[in-house]
Amino acid sequence: MERSEFRNELFRIARELGCEAAETYYEESENFSASVLNAELEQYKVAKECGLNLRVKYGGKDGYAYTESFDDPRALVCRAIDNARVIESTDSHPMIGAQSYAPVAVRATPLEGVSVPDKIAMALGIEQKALAFDPRIRRVQTCEVETGHSRFELHNTLGLCAERESNEAALVLSAVAESDGVVKDGFAARLNSRADDVDGLVRETAQNALFKLSAAPVETGTYRVLFKNSAAAMFLFPFVPLFSAEEAQKGRSLLAGREGEKIASDCFTLWDDPFHPYAPRAFDGEGYPTRKKAIVENGVFQTMLHNTKTALKAGTESTGNARRRGASPVGVGPTVLSVESGEGSYDEMLQKLGDGLMLDDFGGLHAGVNQISGDFSLMASGALIRGGKPVRAVDRITIAGNIYALLNEIEAVGADPAFTVYGAIESPSLLISVLSVAGK
Amino acid sequence: MISNSSAERVLCAALETGADFAELFAEDCDRNRLTMSDGRIEQSLSSHRHGAGVRVMRGAQSAYAYTADTGEAALIDTARAAAAALSGSAKPHTLQFMKKAYATPQKISLSGVTNDRRVALMHQAHAAGKAVSEKVRQFTLSYMDEVQRVLICNTEGVWAEDVRPRTRMGILAVASEGAAAERGLEAPGCCRGFESYRDRIDVEASARKAAERAVLLLSAKDCPGGNMPVVISGGFGGVIFHEACGHSLEATSVGPGNSEFCGKLNTKIAAPCVSAMDDGTIPFEWGSINIDDEGTPGQKNLLIENGILKSYLVDRVGAQRLHLPLTGSSRRQDYTFAPTSRMTNTFICPGKDDPDEMIRTMGTGLYAATLGGGSVNPLTGEFNFAVAEGYWVRDGKIVCPVRGAMLIGKGAEILQRIDRVGPSMWMAQGMCGSVSGSVPTNVGQPVIRVTSITVGGKGGEL
């Protein structure tokens, strides 16, 4: 069945079966990736995905049903109604009607229009450059070129019609360096608008792997620490749910009810920016118009992120942060997060650090972070810094602390923002005045 | 799902550019998820995943294409999209399928269960957990069941159909006192029908356990950091082996030379008291499989015997690279991933040592009663995992609960430093994420002792 015909049938059947309203969230994507190893194509992937998530309002409750085959609209509506029937929560979740949105141009990536053979040739070229960078670079682990195109559509029986498209591109490189029996790997990626920076990618990956060859732990103790830009972003990412009104209303954020309070150093400002060129969008997962806002401004906590449900419960307006993905129900999530830049290049930040540790990678972010208490204990690596200069690489250490304390220990914020590959969040380098480290 | 003749035409299209192997994986999966917050059902969703993927291989080169449209024309397009990765001409092939059908038994079919029964089970768990203490302020339960039906057929004549039911309940308790808040998580699961909750899983006991842990941690002190001996309990403690060794034995890492255990077959990689197994055949277990996602029956793989490395986990691409037989270890999350070598139920085998003696003679260190998740870099073997419930041990005696501990180290070093292995082994359920997505796995071990490991924590002397 054609998509619009399927949708119309869903809406007709939903009304027939007594639903007050119905909404469809449709997602489709086409993706390509090619990876090479030893000057040959190693893996190649061509993907076409699509799925439709139906949300019905039945007896004032929401029920969801998702499908990837568009052949039985009645069964889908019945499943959604069946799911609405068991809802016991009394929280109301509004469905909104037609909205008007700010125009957002679909961003093109540098790999737009590049043919498949040329993408493969690009991957082969990256591998060649990585191997030629230094004789100690022995091989690549991952050398991949990826492109994708996605389309999202939201429609409901109240007249909502919101559609958007996006393009993605990525170059991903991981290379292995070996010297005197020591083996280390380096990793870097270039995303979206930067997916043509082959030389930068190769240099960062190779230098990262080579530098690690000299790595060793440091003594257990407390240190002044610089979180390098993309590592700072990577570190902050697992704590993002602390700013979700959904988490707060479920008793899972210690920031609940603390709007207007000072929670971080004066130099720390965090934006949620839906119009950031990284991934711009004019509406959220409920079709609510998005807007840019500070979550933390000069250290003061400004707002939780809301969808219409959490906003209604809190007696406020949605912040345009409804999250929706695949078969999941409407949730709450950030758009693009951005820590506001302060002053100083990366090298200047090292100077400000003076003596301490620079950390550029963390391990265990999914397990070593307690989102309830804010405690973290993570594997880390980076470099030992003396007088603002790297002395040697450091690995196999852990850092431990609490996010609420750490936000107040931010002494300075750099002007070198970078994204992490783990989520849509960018941060400049952050100088932390004190942190517990376990090593030797 | 797909007819014999359709499958034949799809595989022939996949071979058009000179592949020496082609495989079709078709999937149809129904899943139900419900979440409960504060004793009330908050969300209920059903999903129907449906699609297929075609993989072509020439030597160790592989290409994968997939689509949600399983009509023959779309599948042939998909086969050609994968075949486009190679350039050559078709080799002569005759196809004759050997049909086999598998199904995990279900006494109470998950497809026939109504939402009312799922909801009743969740209320039962909630009531039990909430009764533990007034300090338990928040209880979030998530229930999931799914029945995945797959067809795997390939140009070597494999035609395997499988029905895979699974169900699991996640229980998160949050306890708070003053400004402090802590959590306890339990997530029992089983590879059977709804009878699992009668025969295998006690949701009330799990809910109590989660609640008790959250409350206990409120009084825990911050764990001190440094190098120290650590006793690790059984069950989810086995995640240490999963991370420190298991991932590095997957052909995905070993094949291209990206594992610290490359070239180590039949050599000593662990202390003599360590034997370990990956066994996909154990009935009911969360990580068990009838067949893997290449159609190879699940099997019992002895990985380490008395410290000697005996086997890797080998999928079809790995077999090409390593010239080793398949081990029934090729898995994928769903049709949107090509399969690769993964673990099933992985555990350290029982030994003979007394757990009480392990603590009595350890001096000062950490007793890790429950671990959280972790991760590893197979190339270097550097791993990390979080301690969900830990106790500080001084002069061989347990002193107090500690929180916020993280264990890090290198797999090869830790395996050599295991000096005690207890007599009874048990397992716990987890989801393991890797290149072919998230798959259900069991981890397990008896109580073990590691003579020295780096413990991360922010606490001072206890």
Side-chain angles (χ1 to χ4, degrees):
Chain A
M1 210 181 278
E2 281 299 313
R3 196 159 77 239
S4 59
E5 190 191 341
F6 188 72
R7 183 173 67 230
N8 291 336
E9 271 299 282
L10 289 172
F11 289 168
R12 188 187 63 74
I13 297 166
R15 284 195 196 97
E16 175 197 317
L17 297 179
C19 296
E20 296 102 72
E23 182 172 277
T24 56
Y25 172 72
Y26 173 81
E27 218 180 72
E28 70 174 23
S29 63
E30 291 196 13
N31 296 290
F32 170 84
S33 70
S35 66
V36 301
L37 182 69
N38 300 329
E40 278 192 356
L41 182 66
E42 188 212 14
Q43 277 181 15
Y44 176 99
K45 194 164 166 176
V46 183
K48 274 189 184 177
E49 285 181 72
C50 62
L52 181 143
N53 201 355
L54 171 71
R55 170 187 173 204
V56 299
K57 200 154 278 297
Y58 184 86
K61 313 284 188 188
D62 281 5
Y64 290 85
Y66 169 86
T67 189
E68 292 174 0
S69 63
F70 305 101
D71 50 6
D72 193 348
R74 187 166 290 271
L76 196 68
V77 175
C78 289
R79 283 214 305 274
I81 291 177
D82 197 36
N83 286 326
R85 279 195 174 117
V86 294
I87 301 300
E88 297 164 336
S89 164
T90 51
D91 294 340
S92 173
H93 193 164
M95 213 177 259
I96 59 173
Q99 306 285 320
S100 56
Y101 304 116
V104 170
V106 180
R107 156 203 71 186
T109 75
L111 301 186
E112 225 67 46
V114 175
S115 70
V116 167
D118 286 348
K119 285 178 199 164
I120 295 171
M122 190 175 184
L124 290 166
I126 293 171
E127 185 189 36
Q128 217 170 28
K129 283 189 171 174
L131 294 174
F133 191 88
D134 188 292
R136 291 169 297 170
I137 299 290
R138 296 297 161 86
R139 61 182 186 279
V140 299
Q141 279 195 105
T142 305
C143 180
E144 191 163 280
V145 175
E146 299 172 17
T147 53
H149 177 80
S150 310
R151 183 174 171 78
F152 311 88
E153 297 177 4
L154 264 167
H155 294 92
N156 68 25
T157 52
L158 306 178
L160 178 73
C161 170
E163 301 181 349
R164 70 180 171 93
E165 297 187 31
S166 72
N167 296 307
E168 294 87 34
L171 307 179
V172 181
L173 179 62
S174 156
V176 178
E178 198 174 337
S179 176
D180 299 327
V182 178
V183 180
K184 293 286 174 184
D185 57 344
F187 171 86
R190 291 291 181 271
L191 307 177
N192 300 335
S193 62
R194 295 180 67 207
D196 54 354
D197 179 22
V198 170
D199 292 336
L201 174 82
V202 169
R203 195 181 326 111
E204 187 184 332
T205 309
Q207 285 176 345
N208 185 253
L210 292 168
F211 183 65
K212 284 186 190 169
L213 287 171
S214 65
V218 289
E219 298 292 333
T220 299
T222 54
Y223 289 79
R224 271 167 73 76
V225 170
L226 183 72
F227 286 1
K228 195 177 176 181
N229 49 21
S230 62
M234 183 180 176
F235 173 84
L236 292 171
F237 188 65
F239 294 106
V240 171
L242 299 179
F243 301 110
S244 154
E246 191 178 26
E247 293 297 306
Q249 289 173 4
K250 288 180 179 162
R252 297 200 295 247
S253 170
L254 293 177
L255 290 177
R258 293 179 58 191
E259 285 91 342
E261 275 183 41
K262 187 97 177 0
I263 61 159
S265 303
D266 293 346
C267 58
F268 185 78
T269 294
L270 176 66
W271 294 95
D272 178 67
D273 182 4
F275 298 99
H276 194 293
Y278 182 84
R281 83 285 309 263
F283 60 88
D284 71 1
E286 293 175 318
Y288 199 92
T290 51
R291 63 179 170 88
K292 181 178 175 177
K293 66 270 178 190
I295 299 173
V296 180
E297 192 167 15
N298 302 326
V300 178
F301 178 39
Q302 301 292 325
T303 183
M304 285 282 175
L305 302 178
H306 285 281
N307 62 19
T308 58
K309 180 183 179 179
T310 61
L312 185 68
K313 192 168 181 175
T316 179
E317 293 279 304
S318 168
T319 55
N321 287 96
R323 185 183 53 203
R324 204 149 193 189
R325 200 171 297 147
S328 299
V330 178
V332 173
T335 59
V336 177
L337 293 172
S338 177
V339 176
E340 190 168 289
S341 284
E343 281 175 17
S345 65
Y346 170 63
D347 287 338
E348 285 163 349
M349 291 300 284
L350 283 179
Q351 287 299 323
K352 281 186 200 171
L353 172 69
D355 294 344
L357 290 175
M358 179 282 293
L359 300 179
D360 62 2
D361 197 16
F362 299 110
L365 283 162
H366 67 298
V369 166
N370 183 336
Q371 283 154 2
I372 309 290
S373 65
D375 283 342
F376 60 86
S377 186
L378 301 168
M379 183 157 81
S381 58
L384 182 67
I385 310 295
R386 290 271 176 264
K389 295 266 183 279
V391 179
R392 66 168 172 87
V394 171
D395 69 358
R396 278 170 290 153
I397 59 168
T398 69
I399 57 163
N402 183 285
I403 185 69
Y404 299 106
L406 182 131
L407 288 174
N408 285 297
E409 302 286 359
I410 301 173
E411 197 178 298
V413 177
D416 56 342
F419 276 90
T420 165
V421 291
Y422 298 97
I425 175 167
E426 71 169 348
S427 175
S429 297
L430 302 177
L431 179 57
I432 314 295
S433 54
V434 60
L435 194 60
S436 291
V437 172
K440 278 193 280 197
Chain B
M1 210 180 285
I2 286 165
S3 74
N4 197 330
S5 53
S6 251
E8 253 185 68
R9 285 189 286 272
V10 172
L11 291 175
C12 283
L15 293 177
E16 278 170 4
T17 56
D20 43 39
F21 172 82
E23 170 192 79
L24 170 67
F25 176 90
E27 176 191 12
D28 194 78
C29 180
D30 283 305
R31 170 188 274 229
N32 295 290
R33 276 187 297 158
L34 290 91
T35 57
M36 173 185 268
S37 223
D38 269 340
R40 288 174 173 166
I41 298 293
E42 193 179 47
Q43 283 167 348
S44 177
L45 322 95
S46 313
S47 64
H48 179 221
R49 195 167 60 225
H50 178 89
V54 178
R55 181 166 66 142
V56 300
M57 283 176 61
R58 188 165 57 193
Q61 270 188 316
S62 71
Y64 188 67
Y66 65 85
T67 173
D69 183 349
T70 55
E72 186 179 315
L75 288 178
I76 287 177
D77 282 351
T78 304
R80 290 197 172 123
L86 306 177
S87 54
S89 48
K91 297 166 193 159
H93 242 100
T94 31
L95 266 177
Q96 199 166 15
F97 295 123
M98 290 276 293
K99 294 205 171 185
K100 287 192 176 158
Y102 303 81
T104 299
Q106 298 181 76
K107 287 184 197 151
I108 305 172
S109 162
L110 292 169
S111 332
V113 170
T114 59
N115 267 341
D116 297 347
R117 294 185 73 179
R118 299 182 177 109
V119 170
L121 186 75
M122 294 172 82
H123 276 293
Q124 200 186 324
H126 178 262
K130 200 76 183 161
V132 165
S133 163
E134 281 182 358
K135 291 177 186 163
V136 179
R137 301 289 154 81
Q138 243 296 332
F139 235 91
T140 308
L141 300 171
S142 58
Y143 168 93
M144 160 320 247
D145 65 40
E146 71 172 23
V147 181
Q148 184 197 34
R149 291 166 293 275
V150 301
L151 160 68
I152 302 148
C153 59
N154 69 30
T155 49
E156 290 179 356
V158 166
W159 180 288
E161 293 176 44
D162 193 10
V163 181
R164 304 161 166 180
R166 264 174 224 290
T167 181
R168 192 179 192 201
M169 193 183 290
I171 302 163
L172 173 70
V174 177
S176 58
E177 198 169 31
E182 290 292 340
R183 63 184 176 177
L185 178 69
E186 286 290 313
C190 188
C191 203
R192 281 292 188 272
F194 200 71
E195 73 279 7
S196 303
Y197 296 102
R198 183 189 64 201
D199 303 344
R200 303 276 304 178
I201 299 172
D202 181 347
V203 292
E204 294 183 352
S206 295
R208 280 192 290 268
K209 226 167 151 179
E212 282 159 6
R213 184 170 313 127
V215 172
L216 173 91
L217 289 173
L218 286 174
S219 63
K221 301 196 162 109
D222 290 327
C223 185
N227 277 297
M228 60 190 78
V230 178
V231 169
I232 304 168
S233 186
F236 209 78
V239 74
I240 188 174
F241 184 80
H242 177 102
E243 300 297 351
C245 184
H247 279 295
S248 306
L249 296 180
E250 293 168 345
T252 320
S253 302
V254 180
N258 294 329
S259 161
E260 59 174 344
F261 298 120
C262 286
K264 296 275 171 73
L265 273 184
N266 297 313
T267 65
K268 185 170 173 298
I269 64 159
C273 59
V274 178
S275 293
M277 186 85 93
D278 182 85
D279 185 354
T281 69
I282 312 171
F284 305 104
E285 291 300 342
W286 180 242
S288 292
I289 53 174
N290 299 314
I291 50 169
D292 73 3
D293 290 326
E294 290 173 347
T296 308
Q299 64 185 55
K300 208 174 185 156
N301 295 303
L302 179 62
L303 302 174
I304 298 173
E305 187 175 31
N306 303 326
I308 310 291
L309 178 61
K310 301 308 271 188
S311 177
Y312 297 122
L313 297 168
V314 186
D315 63 326
R316 193 171 274 276
V317 171
Q320 286 291 331
R321 288 201 179 116
L322 296 166
H323 309 291
L324 289 170
L326 299 173
T327 57
S329 307
S330 188
R331 305 183 69 190
R332 57 176 121 200
Q333 177 180 313
D334 54 44
Y335 73 90
T336 66
F337 293 88
T340 189
S341 52
R342 303 293 292 269
M343 288 173 262
T344 59
N345 305 301
T346 316
F347 52 88
I348 295 178
C349 305
K352 291 179 181 149
D353 301 311
D354 172 17
D356 292 337
E357 184 270 345
M358 293 182 205
I359 290 179
R360 206 167 55 234
T361 60
M362 75 187 278
T364 294
L366 178 69
Y367 168 50
T370 309
L371 298 184
S375 63
V376 68
N377 177 343
L379 176 76
T380 58
E382 287 164 15
F383 66 80
N384 63 82
F385 48 94
V387 180
E389 180 182 337
Y391 296 86
W392 190 245
V393 177
R394 193 171 51 226
D395 301 329
K397 289 193 182 71
I398 290 178
V399 182
C400 63
V402 286
R403 64 180 160 213
M406 160 74 75
L407 307 184
I408 67 162
K410 283 180 86 160
E413 289 172 10
I414 293 307
L415 288 176
Q416 301 282 5
R417 287 189 207 148
I418 296 175
D419 75 337
R420 296 281 194 284
V421 177
S424 60
M425 187 282 289
W426 69 99
M427 293 189 276
Q429 296 75 50
M431 293 302 292
C432 167
S434 183
V435 283
S436 62
S438 177
V439 300
T441 54
N442 259 4
V443 297
Q445 65 175 35
V447 181
I448 65 163
R449 186 166 81 182
V450 184
T451 53
S452 170
I453 192 162
T454 303
V455 176
K458 63 181 164 121
E461 204 170 315
L462 290 175

